[in-house]
Amino acid sequence: MTTTTPTFPTAPEDGVPAVDAVEPGGRGEIHLVQLYPRDMNIYGDWGNTLTLKRRLEKRGYAVQLTDYNPGDSFPADADLFVGGGGQDSGQFRVMEDLQKIKPVMYELVADGVPMLAICGLYQLFGHEFRTIGGEVLPGIGIFDLTTVGGETRLIGNIVTESEKFGTIIGYENHSGLTRLADGQQPLGRVVSGDGNDGEDGTEGAVTNEVIGTYLHGSLLPKNPVLADHLIATAVRRRYSHETLEPLNDTLSQKAREVARNRPR
Amino acid sequence: MERMSRPLVRLLGQGVRAATKLRGGGSAFPGLVMEKLHPGFVSEQLARLPHGVVVVSGTNGKTTTTKMAVQLLESQGLKVFTNRTGSNFVRGVAAALLQEISLTGRFDADIAVLELDEAHAVHFVKEVQPRFALLLNVMRDQLDRFGEIDTTRRMLSKVAAATTEAVILNREDPRIASLAEDVRPGTEVLWYGLSPQLRPMFPSDDDMRGADGPAAPTPEGGSAPEAVVELTDFKATDVDFLVRGKPEKAKVHLYGVYNVYNAAAALALSMTVTDDGRDAPAAQAGIPSLLGELSAVTPAFGRGETITVDGAPLQLLLVKNPAGFRLSLASARPEAYATMIAINDEYADGRDVSWLWDVEFESLRSGGVDLVTGTRAWDMALRLDYDQVPVRDVEPELTEALRKFIASAEGRPMRVFCTYTAMLALRRALRSVAVVPEI
Ligand SMILES: [Zn+2]
């Protein structure tokens, strides 16, 4: 295979679109919070945080980045939340802490604050996780769904199709089987892969501006449409800014083309 | 099936090996046939070894550590059987055994030192009880194969529980240290470790992100247990150890700080194996010769191996998890090198490339990256872009990328960071322009 190499950004400043010369941070500040990075960050979740941060900065927003771990004082003024997957052991600590912050989380969700919850955190945003051994771990019920422990892990490259966001491409790795209640909107429909439970063809969930999904991989770098939706929601709430300048996403497009054709 | 006589086994093994050569099959194939024809073949053979079986497992550094341990034990006069081909599961062991037997007509060894990956080690110890086990680390490597780090730890606990004489553990890895609880009564637990000053240089995956990871383990709530070998300092090739509490010096010609730590592991294992009736003065006398032999160890394939291309050194660095990649990046000044990164996502590499997002690439920002290649070249280019690292070229096809890279290096020394199958392909491609040792 020979490849002609397209031109793409090589210097830090490139990739900033032909936007009016906004000073760095000139548009204002966005408070981005990583939920439980100490216990839940095993699948390249930093990639999601970094993507949000850089894409905000390129649009002229300063980013205040806060790590929220169990027991910390809760940053209730946050504009945008992102959280990832964890080991079983980490999930217990997080579960207890989530119960404490549940009331304020409910307010934020009702208020339209954008959040992205992946894997372990996605499960805990549902009603409960029932392990194979019959143990029940309570979630906080932002999503109308429940998860049961499965015998085998659902692992591999996955492609889904979302009405709102188009084709979403990532990697899934979970043993929990998630069942959506009637009326719970999924994030997408599975094109190839397993998704929520490997059977009903749905993947993820959306409630208000909260997106839950099993796709990591990392999700946002390869799905800039999703990243920009979260960002647009945040800047609209905070500053009533209605437009986001497009960025050069050539590399992301190339990586997507490859990923969607890789073996499971 | 009725058991076969040994000469018959041997003839059959030779026939299978010849057939394998013809079909160009993998090195595990003859072992597979052998296990089908004569189940228990491997355990029967290994049970005869006077010094028993040593299993080396963990996520990172098995190959280099096993190679060091074999060389150290051979320097003490032991005849060591090992699975050198890197085909590291039961069938691979059977294949290596067959080769040994068909070459010499008998299985003539004192001890077996076997590198086994975590999943295969679990099956192996069901058939063969190791006398010693050396367990190195549990890292985020190929999570898509093993599912979760905690699952990997559980696999290794089976190995610890099956070991009959001594289990040697990495004191600084919390998941490995906790395996001490799984060791059966009567089996000794021994440690290798780092001095407190060196611990920050060896981050575990738990403290890759965020300031404070889990604290170093202090089992029983007290102070850390004493290590057989503790790495206390190193500068270039000069290494300082505390060996049973006594300061010792050695030379280690291996690339990367992890390999220096693995030398401590191999040393602790070799001391334990050769030390019949611990603390005997005779065993203490062996320590200087073990330390001397350490300096003679050369890098295992792909673990910092250097190949000369057109008079310039090209270094191949295997990368497979965030901690390992970060340490490889930190081990030299990037501006002094031409840099290529080759990321494949075949099964042996791990299909999931998410882990690249947990490596920090800022150190490459000033010098940039000359080329990215491999099936996931575009993922890598995207990753570098988000860390604001300039990338001069993207060429997914490995052979073409290598050609371009060597041409663009213009005499600069070259560093290539690559995943497992990318490394195999690059080594093959390098044969046409350089002398590449057989694996
Ligand atoms: Zn996942």
Side-chain angles (χ1 to χ4, degrees):
Chain A
M1 176 172 65
T2 53
T3 323
T4 46
T5 308
T7 53
F8 56 85
T10 55
E13 292 74 25
D14 292 359
V16 177
V19 196
D20 33 310
V22 198
E23 283 170 57
R27 291 258 168 89
E29 187 178 88
I30 290 293
H31 189 180
L32 171 59
V33 173
Q34 300 195 87
L35 289 170
Y36 310 114
R38 199 189 292 152
D39 293 305
M40 317 274 275
N41 73 345
I42 62 165
Y43 293 118
D45 295 290
W46 169 246
N48 295 324
T49 307
L50 180 65
T51 300
L52 293 170
K53 181 175 184 293
R54 287 265 187 268
R55 295 180 78 86
L56 278 159
E57 287 168 350
K58 284 180 176 181
R59 269 74 173 243
Y61 294 94
V63 175
Q64 182 196 349
L65 182 60
T66 301
D67 284 359
Y68 175 76
N69 287 306
D72 291 354
S73 71
F74 188 80
D77 67 333
D79 299 302
L80 183 49
F81 289 86
V82 57
Q87 300 291 319
D88 294 345
S89 50
Q91 207 133 329
F92 272 99
R93 273 189 295 276
V94 167
M95 179 191 79
E96 287 175 2
D97 192 79
L98 272 175
Q99 296 304 325
K100 289 184 207 146
I101 64 170
K102 180 174 165 178
V104 58
M105 289 297 277
Y106 270 50
E107 280 176 39
L108 294 171
V109 174
D111 216 23
V113 174
M115 303 185 189
L116 175 65
I118 295 185
C119 271
L121 195 64
Y122 167 47
Q123 294 168 346
L124 291 177
F125 272 21
H127 296 298
E128 62 177 38
F129 186 109
R130 192 178 292 266
T131 66
I132 288 193
E135 208 175 348
V136 176
L137 317 185
I140 56 173
I142 290 173
F143 296 126
D144 196 4
L145 58 81
T146 55
T147 302
V148 295
E151 294 283 343
T152 52
R153 295 190 79 83
L154 310 180
I155 300 183
N157 288 301
I158 172 170
V159 178
T160 73
E161 199 63 40
S162 150
E163 269 175 45
K164 197 164 176 183
F165 305 110
T167 307
I168 303 175
I169 296 172
Y171 197 94
E172 63 182 324
N173 182 346
H174 53 110
S175 57
L177 305 175
T178 294
R179 309 234 153 88
L180 306 184
D182 290 343
Q184 171 64 55
Q185 190 193 345
L187 172 63
R189 300 267 157 202
V190 176
V191 177
S192 66
D194 281 315
N196 279 331
D197 66 356
E199 286 174 7
D200 72 2
T202 67
E203 202 297 307
V206 180
T207 294
N208 290 7
E209 292 299 341
V210 186
I211 295 173
T213 176
Y214 276 118
L215 275 62
H216 55 262
S218 285
L219 178 69
L220 295 184
K222 271 211 287 289
N223 296 279
V225 173
L226 262 180
D228 282 355
H229 174 80
L230 292 164
I231 289 171
T233 309
V235 302
R236 194 179 304 124
R237 271 189 81 251
R238 173 67 60 190
Y239 297 108
S240 311
H241 294 170
E242 284 300 330
T243 53
L244 275 189
E245 301 79 0
L247 300 178
N248 179 347
D249 285 320
T250 314
L251 294 178
S252 171
Q253 286 308 327
K254 291 279 183 186
R256 283 168 64 83
E257 280 162 32
V258 172
R260 72 179 306 159
N261 293 311
R262 292 303 295 157
R264 175 112 166 115
Chain B
M1 170 180 292
E2 209 174 309
R3 289 288 151 96
M4 291 174 286
S5 70
R6 266 171 113 225
L8 183 55
V9 165
R10 196 173 91 218
L11 274 175
L12 195 85
Q14 286 164 339
V16 172
R17 279 171 44 73
T20 310
K21 284 235 165 71
L22 287 176
R23 75 192 262 282
S27 57
F29 177 69
L32 172 66
V33 175
M34 202 59 240
E35 276 295 291
K36 283 260 186 298
L37 291 173
H38 186 138
F41 168 73
V42 168
S43 43
E44 271 173 36
Q45 293 297 320
L46 294 179
R48 298 164 199 259
L49 295 171
H51 286 75
V53 173
V54 180
V55 167
V56 179
S57 194
T59 318
N60 244 9
K62 291 184 286 288
T63 303
T64 301
T65 310
T66 302
K67 187 172 190 269
M68 279 191 272
V70 168
Q71 197 165 330
L72 292 179
L73 290 171
E74 284 175 345
S75 78
Q76 304 303 299
L78 288 173
K79 192 163 186 323
V80 185
F81 168 74
T82 187
N83 50 340
R84 281 186 206 280
T85 57
S87 170
N88 61 10
F89 42 114
V90 181
R91 282 171 217 155
V93 174
L97 260 172
L98 265 172
Q99 178 163 15
E100 175 75 20
I101 292 170
S102 54
L103 286 176
T104 62
R106 63 203 184 93
F107 184 44
D108 174 25
D110 299 314
I111 187 168
V113 180
L114 303 173
E115 166 198 347
L116 296 172
D117 86 20
E118 301 89 325
H120 298 126
V122 171
H123 295 296
F124 182 84
V125 299
K126 280 184 199 150
E127 292 186 29
V128 180
Q129 286 190 334
R131 191 171 162 207
F132 303 99
L134 171 61
L135 304 177
L136 301 170
N137 44 56
V138 182
M139 288 192 189
R140 229 186 318 187
D141 178 31
Q142 303 196 349
L143 271 180
D144 51 339
R145 277 180 68 191
F146 300 142
E148 294 197 48
I149 303 179
D150 292 342
T151 307
T152 311
R153 186 209 162 274
R154 277 194 291 279
M155 292 176 185
L156 291 180
S157 80
K158 299 268 197 301
V159 178
T163 303
T164 59
E165 188 160 329
V167 176
I168 300 155
L169 302 174
N170 177 355
R171 190 180 65 190
E172 320 309 342
D173 183 310
R175 289 188 181 81
I176 292 290
S178 72
L179 294 174
E181 295 157 17
D182 303 318
V183 171
R184 61 168 74 177
T187 295
E188 205 170 348
V189 176
L190 300 167
W191 305 90
Y192 71 100
L194 297 163
S195 64
Q197 298 90 301
L198 287 186
R199 271 175 217 152
M201 288 192 66
F202 295 80
S204 79
D205 278 333
D206 289 320
D207 38 45
M208 285 305 290
R209 298 233 74 90
D212 35 277
T218 47
E220 330 276 285
S223 58
E226 202 198 346
V228 178
V229 179
E230 184 175 289
L231 177 62
T232 54
D233 200 7
F234 59 93
K235 192 177 274 177
T237 57
D238 293 311
V239 177
D240 294 333
F241 295 118
L242 273 184
V243 179
R244 295 213 178 96
K246 189 164 161 275
E248 300 278 3
K249 290 191 176 302
K251 293 255 181 208
V252 175
H253 300 283
L254 294 171
Y255 185 88
V257 290
Y258 257 106
N259 281 336
V260 177
Y261 191 32
N262 289 334
L267 185 60
L269 171 66
S270 305
M271 286 170 57
T272 307
V273 168
T274 54
D275 181 6
D276 284 322
R278 311 247 134 77
D279 305 323
Q284 209 67 22
I287 292 173
S289 79
L290 285 173
L291 289 166
E293 186 66 22
L294 258 190
S295 69
V297 177
T298 51
F301 139 82
R303 276 70 172 177
E305 161 185 57
T306 300
I307 293 163
T308 304
V309 183
D310 295 342
L314 182 149
Q315 203 167 43
L316 290 169
L317 298 157
L318 184 69
V319 293
K320 45 182 195 164
N321 53 37
F325 205 148
R326 191 162 87 160
L327 286 163
S328 278
L329 285 169
S331 57
R333 212 162 46 82
E335 297 85 353
Y337 293 84
T339 304
M340 180 162 89
I341 304 179
I343 305 295
N344 273 359
D345 70 346
E346 302 300 334
Y347 179 75
D349 304 294
R351 290 240 184 262
D352 187 2
V353 293
S354 322
W355 64 277
L356 294 173
W357 292 89
D358 287 325
V359 184
E360 286 149 12
F361 292 97
E362 280 91 345
S363 66
L364 295 176
R365 203 176 278 162
S366 61
V369 169
D370 293 271
L371 237 142
V372 290
T373 181
T375 48
R376 292 298 189 130
W378 293 106
D379 274 88
M380 190 65 230
L382 181 65
R383 174 69 193 95
L384 291 168
D385 188 50
Y386 270 104
D387 266 356
Q388 301 172 323
V389 175
V391 176
R392 282 182 268 284
D393 203 354
V394 180
E395 169 52 69
E397 208 276 313
L398 287 159
T399 308
E400 177 60 11
L402 183 66
R403 191 192 61 73
K404 283 185 178 179
F405 176 61
I406 292 169
S408 71
E410 295 178 325
R412 281 178 295 164
M414 294 164 273
R415 286 205 301 177
V416 180
F417 301 92
C418 40
T419 61
Y420 184 73
T421 69
M423 167 162 301
L424 294 181
L426 289 171
R427 283 180 107 259
R428 264 196 308 276
L430 277 165
R431 290 233 168 82
S432 61
V433 290
V435 180
V436 181
E438 289 287 336
I439 297 168

